[in-house]
Amino acid sequence: MAGVRQFDERVALSRALNVFEERGFRDTSMLDLAAGTGVQRGSLYHAYGGKEEIFLRAFRDHTERFLAGAAVALDRPDARSALLSFFGYCIGAITSGSPPRGCLSTRTAIEAATASPRLATAVRAMLDDLENVVHDGLAAFGDSALNVEPRAAARLIVTTTRGIAVMERAGHGPAELRAIAATLVASLVRG
């Protein structure tokens, strides 16, 4: 039937995300996406308009799931356990898979400077939203739980997650990444 999608959009976007995670935005072609999703290239163009739009849709879905998981990880009884849980969640996300695929948002942020203003905007929005999630999680403990105010702590924490993602790509394992996170948490949390 003309105009009716002949594929499951959620499945196709999830598979497209896998392709982007493996290859990065710049190195992914429409042929790669067609092979990875099992959807013909023409159908992908018709449904989404091109690689950038597919990426943005898949990245939006990925971001929503990641932010929801981050909020759950922060829901702990005290600031120290909340932050250690949050970093554990982030480290788990970038080190999962075999081989680990790293951090799509950090990889895209590096590529976005030359690839697309829309990608740069999407990554910036994701990082701003992540900062807000961390801030809201920390604000629940009050200013007395931290050595700096919650907004400054949230910005430093999000910045550190990007550094951890780079360290993972440079070959540091999960234990080393958790040690980096624990050092930051120890410096931020009072007591």
Coordinates of all heavy atoms in Angstrom, one line a residue, residues 56-150:
L56 N 19.4 11.8 13.8 CA 18.7 12.7 14.8 C 17.5 12.0 15.5 O 17.3 12.1 16.7 CB 18.3 14.0 14.2 CG 19.4 15.0 13.8 CD1 18.9 16.1 13.0 CD2 20.1 15.5 15.1
R57 N 16.8 11.2 14.7 CA 15.6 10.5 15.3 C 16.2 9.4 16.3 O 15.7 9.2 17.4 CB 14.8 9.9 14.2 CG 14.1 10.8 13.3 CD 12.8 11.4 13.8 NE 11.8 10.4 14.1 CZ 10.9 9.8 13.3 NH1 10.9 10.3 12.0 NH2 10.1 8.9 13.6
A58 N 17.1 8.6 15.8 CA 17.7 7.6 16.7 C 18.4 8.2 17.9 O 18.2 7.6 19.0 CB 18.7 6.7 15.8
F59 N 19.1 9.3 17.7 CA 19.8 9.9 18.8 C 18.8 10.4 19.9 O 19.0 10.3 21.1 CB 20.7 11.0 18.3 CG 21.6 11.6 19.4 CD1 22.6 10.9 19.9 CD2 21.3 12.9 19.8 CE1 23.4 11.5 20.9 CE2 22.1 13.5 20.8 CZ 23.2 12.8 21.4
R60 N 17.7 11.0 19.4 CA 16.6 11.5 20.3 C 16.1 10.3 21.2 O 16.0 10.5 22.4 CB 15.5 12.1 19.5 CG 14.4 12.7 20.4 CD 13.2 13.2 19.7 NE 12.5 12.0 19.1 CZ 12.0 11.9 17.9 NH1 12.0 13.0 17.1 NH2 11.4 10.8 17.5
D61 N 15.8 9.2 20.5 CA 15.3 8.0 21.3 C 16.3 7.6 22.3 O 16.0 7.3 23.4 CB 14.9 6.9 20.3 CG 13.7 7.2 19.5 OD1 13.0 8.2 19.7 OD2 13.5 6.4 18.5
H62 N 17.6 7.5 21.8 CA 18.7 7.1 22.7 C 18.8 8.1 23.9 O 19.0 7.6 25.0 CB 20.0 7.1 21.9 CG 21.2 7.0 22.7 ND1 21.7 5.9 23.3 CD2 22.2 8.0 23.0 CE1 22.8 6.1 23.9 NE2 23.1 7.4 23.7
T63 N 18.7 9.3 23.6 CA 18.9 10.4 24.7 C 17.8 10.2 25.7 O 18.0 10.3 26.9 CB 18.8 11.8 24.0 OG1 20.0 11.9 23.2 CG2 18.8 12.9 25.1
E64 N 16.5 10.0 25.3 CA 15.4 9.9 26.2 C 15.6 8.7 27.1 O 15.4 8.8 28.3 CB 14.1 9.7 25.4 CG 13.7 11.0 24.8 CD 12.5 10.8 23.8 OE1 12.0 9.7 23.7 OE2 12.1 11.8 23.2
R65 N 16.1 7.6 26.6 CA 16.3 6.4 27.4 C 17.5 6.6 28.4 O 17.4 6.3 29.5 CB 16.6 5.2 26.5 CG 15.4 4.6 25.9 CD 15.7 3.2 25.2 NE 16.8 3.3 24.3 CZ 16.7 3.7 23.0 NH1 15.6 4.0 22.5 NH2 17.8 3.7 22.2
F66 N 18.6 7.3 27.9 CA 19.7 7.5 28.7 C 19.4 8.4 29.9 O 19.8 8.2 31.0 CB 20.9 8.1 27.9 CG 22.1 8.3 28.7 CD1 22.9 7.2 29.0 CD2 22.5 9.5 29.1 CE1 24.1 7.4 29.8 CE2 23.6 9.7 29.9 CZ 24.4 8.7 30.2
L67 N 18.7 9.5 29.6 CA 18.4 10.5 30.6 C 17.4 9.9 31.7 O 17.6 10.1 32.9 CB 17.7 11.7 30.0 CG 18.6 12.6 29.1 CD1 17.8 13.7 28.5 CD2 19.8 13.1 29.9
A68 N 16.5 9.0 31.2 CA 15.6 8.4 32.2 C 16.4 7.4 33.1 O 16.2 7.4 34.3 CB 14.5 7.6 31.5
G69 N 17.4 6.7 32.5 CA 18.3 5.8 33.3 C 19.1 6.6 34.3 O 19.4 6.2 35.4
A70 N 19.6 7.8 33.8 CA 20.5 8.6 34.7 C 19.7 9.1 35.9 O 20.2 9.1 37.0 CB 21.0 9.8 33.9
A71 N 18.4 9.5 35.7 CA 17.6 9.9 36.8 C 17.3 8.8 37.8 O 17.4 9.1 39.0 CB 16.3 10.5 36.2
V72 N 17.1 7.6 37.3 CA 16.9 6.5 38.2 C 18.2 6.2 39.0 O 18.1 6.0 40.2 CB 16.5 5.2 37.4 CG1 16.5 4.0 38.2 CG2 15.1 5.4 36.8
A73 N 19.3 6.3 38.3 CA 20.6 6.0 39.0 C 20.9 7.0 40.1 O 21.4 6.7 41.1 CB 21.8 6.0 38.0
L74 N 20.4 8.3 39.9 CA 20.6 9.3 40.9 C 19.7 9.2 42.1 O 19.9 9.9 43.1 CB 20.5 10.7 40.3 CG 21.6 11.1 39.4 CD1 21.2 12.3 38.5 CD2 22.8 11.5 40.3
D75 N 18.6 8.4 42.0 CA 17.6 8.3 43.0 C 18.1 7.4 44.1 O 17.8 6.2 44.2 CB 16.3 7.8 42.4 CG 15.2 7.8 43.4 OD1 15.3 8.5 44.5 OD2 14.2 7.2 43.2
R76 N 19.0 8.0 45.0 CA 19.6 7.3 46.1 C 19.4 8.1 47.4 O 19.1 9.3 47.3 CB 21.1 7.0 45.8 CG 21.4 6.1 44.6 CD 20.9 4.7 44.8 NE 21.1 3.8 43.7 CZ 20.3 3.6 42.7 NH1 19.2 4.2 42.6 NH2 20.7 2.8 41.7
P77 N 19.7 7.5 48.5 CA 19.4 8.2 49.8 C 20.4 9.3 50.2 O 20.1 10.2 51.0 CB 19.4 7.1 50.9 CG 20.2 6.0 50.3 CD 20.0 6.1 48.8
D78 N 21.5 9.4 49.5 CA 22.5 10.4 49.9 C 23.3 10.8 48.6 O 23.3 10.0 47.6 CB 23.4 10.0 51.0 CG 24.2 8.8 50.6 OD1 25.3 8.9 49.9 OD2 23.8 7.6 51.0
A79 N 24.0 11.9 48.6 CA 24.7 12.5 47.5 C 25.8 11.5 47.0 O 26.0 11.3 45.8 CB 25.2 13.9 47.8
R80 N 26.5 11.0 48.0 CA 27.7 10.1 47.6 C 27.2 8.9 46.8 O 27.7 8.6 45.8 CB 28.5 9.7 48.8 CG 29.7 8.8 48.5 CD 30.5 8.5 49.8 NE 30.8 9.6 50.6 CZ 31.7 10.5 50.4 NH1 32.5 10.4 49.3 NH2 31.9 11.5 51.2
S81 N 26.2 8.2 47.4 CA 25.7 7.0 46.7 C 25.0 7.3 45.4 O 25.1 6.6 44.4 CB 24.8 6.1 47.6 OG 23.7 6.9 48.0
A82 N 24.3 8.5 45.4 CA 23.7 8.9 44.1 C 24.7 9.1 43.0 O 24.5 8.7 41.9 CB 22.9 10.2 44.4
L83 N 25.8 9.8 43.3 CA 26.8 10.1 42.3 C 27.6 8.9 41.9 O 27.8 8.7 40.7 CB 27.7 11.2 42.8 CG 27.1 12.6 42.9 CD1 28.1 13.6 43.5 CD2 26.7 13.0 41.5
L84 N 27.9 8.0 42.8 CA 28.6 6.8 42.5 C 27.6 5.9 41.6 O 28.1 5.3 40.6 CB 29.0 6.0 43.7 CG 30.1 6.7 44.5 CD1 30.4 5.9 45.8 CD2 31.4 6.8 43.7
S85 N 26.4 5.9 41.9 CA 25.4 5.1 41.1 C 25.3 5.7 39.7 O 25.3 5.0 38.7 CB 24.0 5.1 41.8 OG 23.1 4.6 41.0
F86 N 25.3 7.1 39.6 CA 25.2 7.8 38.4 C 26.4 7.4 37.5 O 26.3 7.1 36.3 CB 25.1 9.3 38.6 CG 25.3 10.1 37.3 CD1 24.2 10.2 36.4 CD2 26.5 10.7 37.1 CE1 24.4 10.9 35.2 CE2 26.7 11.4 35.9 CZ 25.6 11.6 35.0
F87 N 27.6 7.6 38.1 CA 28.8 7.3 37.3 C 28.9 5.8 36.9 O 29.3 5.4 35.8 CB 30.1 7.7 38.1 CG 30.4 9.1 37.9 CD1 30.3 10.0 39.0 CD2 30.8 9.6 36.7 CE1 30.6 11.3 38.8 CE2 31.2 11.0 36.5 CZ 31.1 11.8 37.6
G88 N 28.4 4.9 37.8 CA 28.3 3.5 37.4 C 27.4 3.3 36.2 O 27.8 2.5 35.3
Y89 N 26.3 4.0 36.2 CA 25.4 3.9 35.1 C 26.1 4.4 33.8 O 26.0 3.7 32.8 CB 24.1 4.7 35.4 CG 23.2 4.8 34.2 CD1 22.4 3.8 33.7 CD2 23.1 6.1 33.5 CE1 21.6 3.9 32.7 CE2 22.3 6.2 32.5 CZ 21.5 5.2 32.0 OH 20.7 5.3 30.9
C90 N 26.7 5.5 33.9 CA 27.4 6.1 32.7 C 28.5 5.2 32.2 O 28.7 4.9 31.0 CB 27.9 7.5 33.0 SG 26.7 8.7 33.3
I91 N 29.3 4.7 33.1 CA 30.4 3.8 32.7 C 29.9 2.5 32.2 O 30.4 2.0 31.2 CB 31.4 3.6 34.0 CG1 32.1 4.9 34.3 CG2 32.4 2.5 33.7 CD1 32.8 4.9 35.7
G92 N 28.9 2.0 32.7 CA 28.3 0.8 32.2 C 27.8 1.0 30.8 O 27.9 0.1 29.9
A93 N 27.2 2.2 30.5 CA 26.7 2.5 29.2 C 27.8 2.5 28.1 O 27.6 2.0 27.0 CB 25.9 3.8 29.2
I94 N 28.9 3.0 28.5 CA 30.0 3.2 27.5 C 30.9 1.9 27.4 O 31.6 1.8 26.4 CB 30.9 4.4 27.7 CG1 31.6 4.4 29.0 CG2 30.0 5.7 27.6 CD1 32.6 5.5 29.2
T95 N 30.8 1.1 28.4 CA 31.7 -0.1 28.3 C 31.0 -1.4 28.0 O 31.6 -2.5 27.9 CB 32.5 -0.3 29.7 OG1 31.5 -0.5 30.7 CG2 33.4 0.9 30.0
S96 N 29.7 -1.3 27.8 CA 28.9 -2.5 27.4 C 29.1 -2.9 26.0 O 29.6 -2.0 25.2 CB 27.4 -2.3 27.6 OG 26.9 -1.3 26.8
G97 N 28.8 -4.1 25.6 CA 29.1 -4.6 24.3 C 30.4 -5.2 24.1 O 31.3 -5.1 25.0
S98 N 30.6 -5.9 23.1 CA 31.8 -6.6 22.8 C 32.2 -6.5 21.3 O 31.6 -7.2 20.5 CB 31.7 -8.1 23.2 OG 33.0 -8.7 23.1
P99 N 33.1 -5.6 21.0 CA 33.8 -4.7 21.8 C 33.0 -3.6 22.3 O 31.9 -3.3 21.7 CB 34.9 -4.2 20.9 CG 34.3 -4.3 19.6 CD 33.4 -5.4 19.5
P100 N 33.4 -2.9 23.4 CA 32.6 -1.7 23.8 C 32.5 -0.7 22.7 O 33.5 -0.5 22.0 CB 33.4 -1.2 25.0 CG 34.3 -2.3 25.4 CD 34.6 -3.1 24.2
R101 N 31.4 0.0 22.6 CA 31.2 1.0 21.6 C 31.5 2.4 22.0 O 31.5 3.3 21.2 CB 29.8 0.9 21.1 CG 29.5 -0.5 20.4 CD 28.2 -0.5 19.8 NE 28.0 -1.8 19.1 CZ 26.9 -2.2 18.6 NH1 25.8 -1.5 18.7 NH2 26.9 -3.4 18.1
G102 N 31.7 2.6 23.3 CA 32.0 4.0 23.7 C 30.8 4.8 23.9 O 29.7 4.3 24.0
C103 N 31.0 6.1 23.8 CA 29.9 7.1 24.1 C 29.5 7.8 22.8 O 30.3 8.6 22.2 CB 30.4 8.1 25.1 SG 29.2 9.4 25.4
L104 N 28.3 7.5 22.3 CA 27.8 8.1 21.1 C 27.8 9.6 21.1 O 28.2 10.3 20.2 CB 26.5 7.5 20.7 CG 25.8 8.1 19.4 CD1 26.7 7.7 18.2 CD2 24.4 7.5 19.2
S105 N 27.4 10.2 22.2 CA 27.2 11.7 22.3 C 28.6 12.3 22.3 O 28.8 13.4 21.6 CB 26.4 12.1 23.5 OG 27.0 11.7 24.7
T106 N 29.6 11.8 22.9 CA 30.9 12.3 22.9 C 31.5 12.2 21.5 O 32.1 13.1 21.0 CB 31.8 11.7 24.0 OG1 31.2 11.9 25.3 CG2 33.2 12.2 24.0
R107 N 31.4 11.0 20.9 CA 31.9 10.8 19.6 C 31.3 11.8 18.6 O 31.9 12.4 17.8 CB 31.6 9.4 19.2 CG 32.2 9.0 17.9 CD 31.9 7.5 17.7 NE 32.6 7.0 16.5 CZ 32.6 5.7 16.2 NH1 32.0 4.8 16.9 NH2 33.3 5.3 15.1
T108 N 30.0 12.0 18.7 CA 29.2 12.9 17.8 C 29.6 14.3 18.1 O 29.8 15.1 17.2 CB 27.7 12.7 18.0 OG1 27.4 11.3 17.7 CG2 27.0 13.6 17.0
A109 N 29.9 14.7 19.3 CA 30.3 16.1 19.7 C 31.6 16.4 18.9 O 31.8 17.5 18.4 CB 30.4 16.2 21.2
I110 N 32.5 15.4 18.9 CA 33.8 15.6 18.2 C 33.6 15.8 16.7 O 34.1 16.6 16.1 CB 34.8 14.5 18.6 CG1 35.1 14.6 20.1 CG2 36.0 14.6 17.7 CD1 35.8 13.4 20.6
E111 N 32.7 14.9 16.1 CA 32.4 14.9 14.7 C 31.5 16.1 14.3 O 31.6 16.6 13.2 CB 31.7 13.7 14.3 CG 32.6 12.4 14.3 CD 31.8 11.2 13.8 OE1 30.6 11.3 13.6 OE2 32.5 10.2 13.6
A112 N 30.7 16.5 15.2 CA 29.6 17.5 14.9 C 30.2 18.9 14.5 O 29.6 19.6 13.7 CB 28.7 17.7 16.0
A113 N 31.4 19.2 15.0 CA 32.0 20.5 14.7 C 32.1 20.7 13.2 O 32.0 21.8 12.7 CB 33.3 20.7 15.4
T114 N 32.4 19.6 12.5 CA 32.5 19.7 11.0 C 31.4 19.1 10.2 O 31.2 19.3 9.1 CB 33.8 19.1 10.6 OG1 33.9 17.7 11.0 CG2 35.0 19.8 11.1
A115 N 30.6 18.2 10.9 CA 29.6 17.5 10.2 C 28.3 18.2 10.0 O 27.7 18.2 8.9 CB 29.3 16.2 11.0
S116 N 27.7 18.8 11.1 CA 26.4 19.4 10.9 C 26.1 20.3 12.2 O 26.2 19.8 13.3 CB 25.4 18.3 10.8 OG 24.1 18.7 11.1
P117 N 25.6 21.5 11.9 CA 25.1 22.3 13.0 C 23.9 21.6 13.8 O 23.8 21.8 15.0 CB 24.6 23.6 12.4 CG 25.3 23.6 11.1 CD 25.6 22.2 10.7
R118 N 23.1 20.9 13.1 CA 22.0 20.2 13.7 C 22.5 19.1 14.7 O 21.9 18.9 15.7 CB 21.0 19.6 12.7 CG 20.3 20.6 11.9 CD 19.4 20.0 10.8 NE 18.3 19.3 11.4 CZ 17.7 18.3 10.8 NH1 18.0 17.9 9.6 NH2 16.7 17.7 11.4
L119 N 23.5 18.4 14.3 CA 24.1 17.4 15.2 C 24.7 18.1 16.4 O 24.5 17.6 17.6 CB 25.2 16.6 14.5 CG 24.8 15.7 13.3 CD1 25.9 14.9 12.8 CD2 23.6 14.8 13.7
A120 N 25.4 19.2 16.2 CA 26.0 19.9 17.3 C 24.9 20.4 18.3 O 25.1 20.3 19.5 CB 26.8 21.1 16.8
T121 N 23.8 20.9 17.7 CA 22.7 21.3 18.6 C 22.1 20.2 19.3 O 21.8 20.3 20.5 CB 21.6 22.0 17.7 OG1 22.2 23.2 17.1 CG2 20.4 22.5 18.5
A122 N 21.9 19.0 18.7 CA 21.3 17.9 19.4 C 22.2 17.4 20.5 O 21.7 17.1 21.6 CB 21.1 16.7 18.4
V123 N 23.5 17.3 20.3 CA 24.4 16.9 21.4 C 24.4 17.9 22.5 O 24.4 17.6 23.7 CB 25.9 16.7 20.8 CG1 26.8 16.4 22.0 CG2 25.9 15.5 19.9
R124 N 24.5 19.2 22.2 CA 24.5 20.3 23.2 C 23.2 20.1 24.0 O 23.2 20.2 25.3 CB 24.6 21.6 22.6 CG 24.4 22.8 23.5 CD 25.5 22.8 24.5 NE 25.3 23.8 25.6 CZ 25.9 25.0 25.7 NH1 26.7 25.4 24.8 NH2 25.6 25.8 26.7
A125 N 22.0 19.9 23.4 CA 20.8 19.8 24.1 C 20.8 18.6 25.0 O 20.4 18.6 26.2 CB 19.6 19.7 23.1
M126 N 21.4 17.5 24.5 CA 21.5 16.3 25.4 C 22.4 16.5 26.6 O 22.0 16.2 27.7 CB 22.1 15.1 24.5 CG 22.2 13.8 25.3 SD 23.8 13.7 26.1 CE 23.8 12.1 26.8
L127 N 23.5 17.2 26.4 CA 24.4 17.5 27.5 C 23.7 18.5 28.5 O 23.9 18.3 29.7 CB 25.7 18.0 27.0 CG 26.5 17.0 26.3 CD1 27.8 17.6 25.7 CD2 26.9 15.8 27.1
D128 N 23.0 19.5 28.0 CA 22.3 20.4 28.9 C 21.2 19.7 29.7 O 21.0 19.9 30.9 CB 21.6 21.5 28.0 CG 22.7 22.5 27.5 OD1 23.8 22.5 27.9 OD2 22.3 23.3 26.6
D129 N 20.5 18.8 29.0 CA 19.4 18.0 29.7 C 20.1 17.1 30.7 O 19.5 16.9 31.8 CB 18.6 17.2 28.7 CG 17.7 18.0 27.8 OD1 17.5 19.2 28.1 OD2 17.2 17.5 26.8
L130 N 21.2 16.5 30.4 CA 21.9 15.7 31.4 C 22.3 16.5 32.6 O 22.2 16.1 33.7 CB 23.1 15.0 30.8 CG 23.9 14.0 31.7 CD1 23.0 12.9 32.2 CD2 25.1 13.4 30.9
E131 N 22.8 17.7 32.3 CA 23.2 18.6 33.4 C 22.0 18.9 34.3 O 22.1 18.9 35.6 CB 23.8 19.9 32.9 CG 24.2 20.8 34.0 CD 24.8 22.1 33.5 OE1 25.6 22.1 32.5 OE2 24.4 23.2 34.0
N132 N 20.9 19.1 33.7 CA 19.6 19.4 34.5 C 19.2 18.2 35.3 O 18.8 18.3 36.4 CB 18.5 19.9 33.6 CG 18.8 21.2 33.0 OD1 19.4 22.1 33.7 ND2 18.2 21.5 31.8
V133 N 19.3 17.0 34.7 CA 19.0 15.8 35.5 C 19.9 15.6 36.7 O 19.4 15.3 37.8 CB 19.1 14.5 34.5 CG1 19.0 13.2 35.3 CG2 17.9 14.5 33.5
V134 N 21.2 15.8 36.5 CA 22.1 15.7 37.6 C 21.9 16.8 38.6 O 21.8 16.5 39.8 CB 23.6 15.8 37.1 CG1 24.6 15.8 38.3 CG2 23.9 14.6 36.2
H135 N 21.7 18.0 38.2 CA 21.4 19.1 39.1 C 20.1 18.8 39.9 O 20.1 19.0 41.2 CB 21.1 20.4 38.3 CG 20.6 21.5 39.2 ND1 19.3 21.8 39.3 CD2 21.2 22.4 40.0 CE1 19.1 22.8 40.2 NE2 20.3 23.1 40.6
D136 N 19.1 18.4 39.3 CA 17.8 18.1 40.0 C 18.1 16.9 41.0 O 17.5 17.0 42.2 CB 16.7 17.7 39.1 CG 16.3 18.9 38.2 OD1 16.7 20.0 38.5 OD2 15.5 18.6 37.2
G137 N 18.8 15.9 40.6 CA 19.2 14.9 41.6 C 19.9 15.4 42.8 O 19.7 14.9 43.9
L138 N 20.9 16.3 42.5 CA 21.7 16.8 43.6 C 21.0 17.8 44.5 O 21.2 17.9 45.7 CB 23.0 17.4 43.1 CG 24.0 16.4 42.4 CD1 25.2 17.2 41.8 CD2 24.5 15.4 43.4
A139 N 20.1 18.6 43.8 CA 19.4 19.6 44.6 C 18.5 19.0 45.7 O 18.3 19.7 46.7 CB 18.6 20.5 43.6
A140 N 18.1 17.8 45.5 CA 17.3 17.1 46.5 C 18.0 17.0 47.8 O 17.4 16.8 48.8 CB 16.8 15.8 45.9
F141 N 19.3 17.0 47.8 CA 20.1 16.8 49.0 C 20.5 18.1 49.7 O 21.0 18.1 50.8 CB 21.4 16.0 48.7 CG 21.2 14.7 48.1 CD1 21.6 14.4 46.8 CD2 20.5 13.7 48.8 CE1 21.3 13.2 46.2 CE2 20.3 12.4 48.2 CZ 20.7 12.2 46.9
G142 N 20.2 19.2 49.0 CA 20.5 20.5 49.6 C 21.9 20.9 49.4 O 22.8 20.1 49.1
D143 N 22.2 22.2 49.6 CA 23.5 22.7 49.4 C 24.6 22.2 50.4 O 25.7 22.1 50.1 CB 23.5 24.3 49.5 CG 22.8 24.9 48.3 OD1 22.6 24.2 47.3 OD2 22.5 26.1 48.4
S144 N 24.1 21.8 51.5 CA 25.0 21.3 52.6 C 25.7 20.0 52.3 O 26.7 19.6 52.9 CB 24.3 21.2 53.9 OG 23.3 20.3 53.9
A145 N 25.1 19.2 51.3 CA 25.7 17.9 51.0 C 26.9 18.0 50.1 O 27.7 17.1 50.0 CB 24.7 17.1 50.3
L146 N 27.1 19.2 49.5 CA 28.2 19.3 48.5 C 29.2 20.4 48.9 O 28.8 21.4 49.6 CB 27.6 19.6 47.1 CG 26.7 18.6 46.5 CD1 26.0 19.1 45.3 CD2 27.4 17.3 46.2
N147 N 30.4 20.3 48.4 CA 31.4 21.4 48.6 C 31.2 22.6 47.6 O 31.9 23.6 47.8 CB 32.8 20.8 48.4 CG 33.1 19.9 49.6 OD1 32.8 20.2 50.7 ND2 33.7 18.7 49.3
V148 N 30.4 22.4 46.6 CA 30.1 23.5 45.7 C 28.6 23.4 45.4 O 27.9 22.5 45.8 CB 30.8 23.3 44.3 CG1 32.3 23.4 44.5 CG2 30.4 22.0 43.6
E149 N 28.0 24.5 44.9 CA 26.6 24.5 44.7 C 26.1 23.5 43.6 O 27.0 23.1 42.8 CB 26.1 25.9 44.4 CG 26.6 26.6 43.1 CD 25.7 26.3 42.0 OE1 24.5 26.0 42.1 OE2 26.2 26.5 40.8
P150 N 24.9 23.0 43.7 CA 24.5 21.9 42.8 C 24.7 22.2 41.3 O 25.0 21.2 40.6 CB 23.0 21.7 43.2 CG 23.0 22.1 44.6 CD 23.9 23.3 44.7

